[in-house]
Amino acid sequence: MAGGEAIDTAVAPDQPEFAATLDRARELVRRGDAETAWEVVAEAVPRWHSDDPLSIAPLALLTDPVLNTLVTPQRATWIATTPRGGY
């Protein structure tokens, strides 16, 4: 790579339905209802999909400062091993 060229590290956005679910979960966390927020996320994970073959899980659950509070090591394992089929 020539000097000054940036590597494109943009992550493809989630499907609108999944993104709306994450917005709802964020709001629940902010209200102090983390357990319900996790239930909302857990219900949506099996329907998540990506057109990027390198994207194997919804990374927003780990990178979002509000949502990552929901992901315990056990939940991360569950997310990674749950079959997903898309909305």
Side-chain angles (χ1 to χ4, degrees):
M1 169 170 31
E5 285 183 46
I7 298 173
D8 183 5
T9 59
V11 176
D14 289 312
Q15 308 83 12
E17 296 87 354
F18 192 77
T21 297
L22 297 184
D23 288 342
R24 180 170 177 232
R26 278 185 206 93
E27 184 57 33
L28 287 164
V29 170
R30 289 183 184 116
R31 292 181 186 174
D33 195 354
E35 238 1 85
T36 301
W38 172 249
E39 291 169 10
V40 166
V41 168
E43 184 179 313
V45 165
R47 295 187 307 269
W48 176 88
H49 75 281
S50 175
D51 293 331
D52 180 350
L54 299 177
S55 184
I56 62 168
L59 292 179
L61 295 175
L62 298 176
T63 60
D64 184 286
V66 174
L67 297 175
N68 72 12
T69 63
L70 301 174
V71 183
T72 64
Q74 294 81 10
R75 289 174 175 175
T77 299
W78 178 82
I79 291 166
T81 59
T82 297
R84 292 172 288 277
Y87 278 88

